[in-house]
Amino acid sequence: MLKSLTKAALFALATAGVVLTGPSAAQAEYPEKPVTMVIPLGAGGSHDLNARIITSIVPSYLGQAMIVRLTPGAGGQKGTQEVARSPADGYTLLFTHNYIDMLQQYVESVPYEPMKDFVPIARVNYAPVSIIVRADSPYQTFEELVAAAKAEPGQLQLGHSGNWGAFFVPAAQIMKKLDFVVNLVPYQGGGPALQSLLSGDSDVTLAFPSAIGELLEAGKIRVLATAGDTPLYEGVPTFSEVGITGDIGFMHRFVLAPAGTPQEVVDKLTVAFEEMSKDETFAKLMSRLGESVDHMTGAEYQKLREQQAEDYQELVKNLTSQ
């Protein structure tokens, strides 16, 4: 009887083992639930606006919804740290930019290691910044703004998206190149910085195309100059035309995942973002926003990221030297 029971028990255990290790208990294929995309910036900025389009298109290629979560604070470090400490399972991603990602490590101690704690998934695009004032501003041209700043150093208020961020850095570069000073006032992202301009709390700010279009059409702002040497708006000079040369004022928008994310998950995300970049509806929506589509795979962007790390180290030295 004992032998019989033992055999029966062993058979039951063996059968249970087959069930436990068989297909019915295997991990479901990624993704089996919505994916969260964290933006380490405030509402209403260019990242927020771009993300709304991304998350409306990429689910078609990923097979699950993608949810935006805005987590501003500490110049982008709060949201970045949140993703760095999230499970490396592909369900929490970071939608960030080059200044937060590669530059901030050289100006203060950050609670994560950019190169070690993240793996790039895709660069979505990059955009040139514009210098803007309210439509009722007394400054009709960039030259008039600079002249006023030189006449009264530190009196003009420039609202920006956070210290050493996408507005602060080009503003600091421009001031150093042209030898003038304005008071740099930080806000939690481009959206709040733009609102500070519209409400009259600041005299000037910077913004990217996605945040400018409707305001420009409504006659609420005036664009004084745009980054690069390719004109963006009729009658508006480029940085090179007003004496600002060099790689100033370009922001790369890209997606990172926590380091250690399984390669098969990285691969699936990589394919989804690459397919999204070819989507005609995506291109049309981005165009309406005033933004381009300039896709790079994570592996391609990682090479650029490594170059940025070197370049920004030198940039910080230059900006902080007397």
Side-chain angles (χ1 to χ4, degrees):
M1 181 68 176
L2 182 60
K3 289 182 180 180
S4 176
L5 286 173
T6 301
K7 287 179 180 179
L10 288 172
F11 178 78
L13 287 173
T15 303
V18 170
V19 171
L20 288 172
T21 59
S24 62
Q27 186 176 5
E29 184 179 356
Y30 172 87
E32 59 176 327
K33 61 182 181 180
V35 175
T36 297
M37 188 161 73
V38 174
I39 300 176
L41 299 162
S46 68
H47 262 66
D48 184 15
L49 297 171
N50 277 260
R52 304 301 169 176
I53 294 177
I54 292 169
T55 55
S56 72
I57 302 296
V58 78
S60 298
Y61 302 101
L62 189 59
Q64 275 288 351
M66 187 170 284
I67 302 166
V68 171
R69 183 162 73 228
L70 298 168
T71 312
Q77 293 180 29
K78 182 179 178 181
T80 304
Q81 180 181 18
E82 176 185 318
V83 178
R85 294 183 176 179
S86 296
D89 55 10
Y91 289 105
T92 306
L93 306 176
L94 181 69
F95 186 42
T96 187
H97 62 69
N98 42 305
Y99 297 109
I100 293 175
D101 180 46
M102 283 291 109
L103 187 144
Q104 284 195 350
Q105 62 185 319
Y106 300 120
V107 294
E108 57 185 308
S109 177
V110 296
Y112 47 82
E113 294 188 57
M115 284 297 188
K116 292 183 179 180
D117 291 343
F118 298 98
V119 55
I121 300 299
R123 185 190 76 176
V124 177
N125 64 5
Y126 73 99
V129 79
S130 294
I131 299 171
I132 64 173
V133 295
R134 288 186 309 280
D136 62 359
S137 169
Y139 312 115
Q140 299 293 319
T141 66
F142 177 74
E143 289 81 2
E144 289 181 6
L145 179 74
V146 173
K150 287 185 175 182
E152 297 184 281
Q155 292 303 302
L156 288 182
Q157 307 290 309
L158 187 150
H160 63 85
S161 56
N163 290 338
W164 295 100
F167 297 169
F168 177 99
V169 174
Q173 289 176 288
I174 292 168
M175 284 193 295
K176 182 144 189 169
K177 276 183 173 289
L178 301 184
D179 192 25
F180 69 92
V181 176
V182 298
N183 184 29
L184 298 174
V185 183
Y187 292 86
Q188 290 191 343
L194 184 57
Q195 288 305 313
S196 79
L197 176 77
L198 297 175
S199 66
D201 290 335
S202 60
D203 302 297
V204 58
T205 190
L206 291 83
F208 292 98
S210 51
I212 288 176
E214 291 185 2
L215 293 172
L216 193 57
E217 288 181 9
K220 293 183 178 181
I221 62 169
R222 180 182 303 122
V223 182
L224 301 184
T226 59
D229 52 18
T230 302
L232 292 182
Y233 308 105
E234 185 177 354
V236 176
T238 64
F239 278 11
S240 60
E241 290 174 324
V242 296
I244 306 168
T245 57
D247 184 16
I248 296 176
F250 288 90
M251 182 174 72
H252 299 261
R253 299 188 187 94
F254 52 92
V255 179
L256 302 175
T261 300
Q263 188 59 48
E264 60 269 22
V265 172
V266 171
D267 291 344
K268 189 152 190 177
L269 286 165
T270 298
V271 169
F273 276 93
E274 188 164 10
E275 290 302 309
M276 179 192 73
S277 73
K278 302 172 185 176
D279 188 289
E280 291 184 4
T281 301
F282 178 67
K284 288 178 182 177
L285 291 173
M286 292 294 280
S287 178
R288 289 177 190 170
L289 198 59
E291 299 286 354
S292 61
V293 177
D294 302 282
H295 176 265
M296 277 187 175
T297 64
E300 290 170 335
Y301 187 68
Q302 177 62 18
K303 296 176 183 178
L304 179 56
R305 206 169 165 239
E306 290 167 1
Q307 184 60 53
Q308 288 170 350
E310 295 180 17
D311 293 344
Y312 290 154
Q313 188 170 22
E314 290 302 312
L315 173 61
V316 169
K317 288 180 182 178
N318 179 260
L319 290 178
T320 55
S321 64
Q322 299 298 323

